[in-house]
Amino acid sequence: LTSADGSAGGASAGIGIALGLNIVTDKTLATTERDIVAGGDVMFAAHASGASSAGAKASATGAKQEDATPDDKGVDKKVGAERGLADKKAGETGTKGTGDAKETPAAETSSGGVSVAAAVGVNIAGSTAQAYIPAGGQVTSGGLLTLSTSNNTDATAKADGSATSGTNEDGSNRTNVGVGVAINVVSALNQATIGSGSTIHAKWLTVEAKRTEVAGDTVGRIGAEAISGASGGKIGIAGSLALNIADSKNEAIIKGG
């Protein structure tokens, strides 16, 4: 969970963007790199579940309006800069950066890019659960051979510009904007596989890809929500933008060859 809340500063908060950026990649794998001969049952099991979210809430002052020559990559540049900073800090602490994660999609509509925003929430989640016998592998089981996977991925992004006010404390109109931009990208793979050219000897065989149960729930929930506040200045083409991209695969495969 990553959250940026600019509303706590109230009307006295400075003009600027509240940006929440969350990038999560997790992998659960079960496989073998050698041949296996067993008198009893053999199981390869990989069961995963995860929840990620990014949220941003604008301050009452919102963001500065577009200038005379607006940059339609304005929001993209802000997000890119923060992602670059995250990679830099990860390197400084000896942890992995965001290189394995999906690229951040452009903050744009069919009319063009979004130049300014008061609240931006970006969530990029990748979750993999794989159990597999590699291509050409050999497994002998005197009983049941099982390849079992399950996954359950929740991922959300929310940007809330509703706290932005169209007037100053003295009653005069503000020229700032309360645009909200939420981007949610999810890639979830749940896959149990016997590779091509494998040699399998077993009395029984189960290859299954199921849903992980979390507190009685097996449904993965994904979504993007953007809420705009008052905008007294020039905001270009979008009052708010919610972009949700999901790629989810659940596969149980016995490959030929």
Side-chain angles (χ1 to χ4, degrees), residues 120-144:
V120 178
V122 178
N123 187 56
I124 300 175
S127 179
T128 298
Q130 283 183 297
Y132 63 94
I133 297 172
Q138 297 187 37
V139 176
T140 299
S141 169
L144 172 63

Side-chain angles (χ1 to χ4, degrees), residues 33-81:
E33 296 183 352
R34 64 179 180 84
D35 297 342
I36 293 177
V37 178
D41 296 343
V42 176
M43 174 179 281
F44 297 88
H47 302 296
S49 66
S52 63
S53 66
K57 190 171 185 179
S59 69
T61 53
K64 187 179 179 181
Q65 69 170 341
E66 287 184 345
D67 57 24
T69 56
D71 182 359
D72 66 358
K73 299 294 183 183
V75 170
D76 294 338
K77 289 177 180 178
K78 290 279 189 183
V79 174

Side-chain angles (χ1 to χ4, degrees), residues 177-205:
V177 298
V179 175
V181 175
I183 299 175
N184 191 49
V185 182
V186 186
S187 177
L189 177 62
N190 180 31
Q191 187 181 71
T193 310
I194 295 178
S196 59
S198 297
T199 301
I200 305 299
H201 297 283
K203 287 185 177 181
W204 303 280
L205 174 65

Side-chain angles (χ1 to χ4, degrees), residues 82-166:
E82 297 309 314
R83 183 165 178 166
L85 178 62
D87 284 336
K88 179 176 180 291
K89 293 301 181 182
E92 290 174 354
T93 57
T95 57
K96 199 170 185 179
T98 67
D100 290 342
K102 295 283 187 180
E103 291 298 315
T104 309
E108 63 183 6
T109 70
S110 58
S111 300
V114 181
S115 59
V116 293
V120 178
V122 178
N123 187 56
I124 300 175
S127 179
T128 298
Q130 283 183 297
Y132 63 94
I133 297 172
Q138 297 187 37
V139 176
T140 299
S141 169
L144 172 63
L145 171 60
T146 302
L147 290 97
S148 176
T149 64
S150 66
N151 204 349
N152 187 340
T153 303
D154 295 343
T156 59
K158 182 175 181 180
D160 186 356
S162 62
T164 303
S165 172

